[in-house]
């Protein structure tokens, strides 16, 4: 059972690499705008902040082209996930180091966007034949 589920309606963007100049570095404008769009939509939905260890599932839905030449959508799945986690960090997630498990998937879809699911992490301890579950 997920504690939080959000559907973000936008064209997914993979996290861009920092641009380095002679004197500084900066995040590409497309990445900054995408992170802001995710935060704006989550702000409208209304979210609580997770301070405890969590599990995250992110589904990336890329707009289906008129003609599919490649079966695999463009972009690395980890870069899409990194952009979403960076948008959630400090806003929905207290700190992204609290993410214990993450599942990422990408696919073509009629309606592009992200589906973000978050739940409290359940710790499992193995003893002498016993498995003890507890929620942090």
């Amino acid at each position: 059972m997920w504690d939080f589920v959000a559907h973000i309606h936008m064209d997914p963007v993979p996290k861009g690499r920092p641009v380095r100049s002679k004197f500084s570095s900066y995040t590409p404008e497309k990445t900054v705008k995408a992170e802001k769009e995710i935060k704006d939509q989550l702000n409208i939905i209304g979210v609580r902040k997770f301070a405890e260890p969590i599990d995250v599932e992110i589904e990336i839905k890329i707009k289906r082209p008129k003609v599919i030449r490649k079966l695999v959508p463009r972009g690395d799945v980890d870069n899409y996930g990194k952009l979403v986690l960076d948008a959630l960090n400090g806003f929905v997630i207290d700190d992204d180091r609290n993410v214990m498990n993450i599942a990422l998937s990408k696919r073509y879809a009629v309606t592009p966007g992200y589906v973000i699911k978050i739940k409290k992490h359940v710790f499992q301890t193995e003893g002498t034949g016993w498995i003890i579950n507890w929620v942090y």
Side-chain angles (χ1 to χ4, degrees):
M1 187 67 152
W2 297 99
D3 297 321
F4 173 76
V5 178
H7 297 267
I8 306 298
H9 301 286
M10 63 180 284
D11 286 325
V13 176
K15 176 83 173 185
R17 297 190 185 276
V19 178
R20 301 189 197 292
S21 67
K22 189 173 182 178
F23 300 106
S24 66
S25 64
Y26 61 93
T27 303
E29 186 66 26
K30 194 173 184 180
T31 298
V32 173
K33 285 182 180 179
E35 286 179 10
K36 183 179 181 325
E37 178 66 24
I38 291 170
K39 286 180 182 180
D40 289 346
Q41 288 193 37
L42 289 172
N43 202 21
I44 291 169
I45 294 169
V47 296
R48 76 171 184 88
K49 197 170 198 174
F50 288 86
E52 63 273 4
I54 56 169
D55 297 333
V56 178
E57 182 178 305
I58 303 169
E59 182 183 344
I60 301 107
K61 301 187 301 181
I62 300 186
K63 186 174 183 177
R64 186 181 183 278
K66 292 179 183 175
V67 178
I68 296 179
R69 291 190 173 89
K70 295 182 179 181
L71 294 176
V72 179
R74 63 173 171 75
D76 294 344
V77 71
D78 60 324
N79 289 334
Y80 286 107
K82 179 66 175 153
L83 183 125
V84 173
L85 284 179
D86 285 351
L88 297 176
N89 194 27
F91 183 62
V92 177
I93 301 171
D94 189 41
D95 190 339
D96 58 3
R97 69 179 175 189
N98 288 341
V99 176
M100 301 297 285
N101 293 311
I102 185 165
L104 302 170
S105 63
K106 68 177 179 176
R107 65 179 175 88
Y108 286 124
V110 176
T111 306
Y114 299 98
V115 178
I116 304 166
K117 300 176 183 178
I118 301 173
K119 66 180 176 182
K120 292 179 186 175
H121 179 72
V122 176
F123 289 91
Q124 294 186 348
T125 304
E126 292 188 48
T128 55
W130 295 88
I131 295 179
I132 303 165
N133 294 329
W134 74 88
V135 175
Y136 182 79

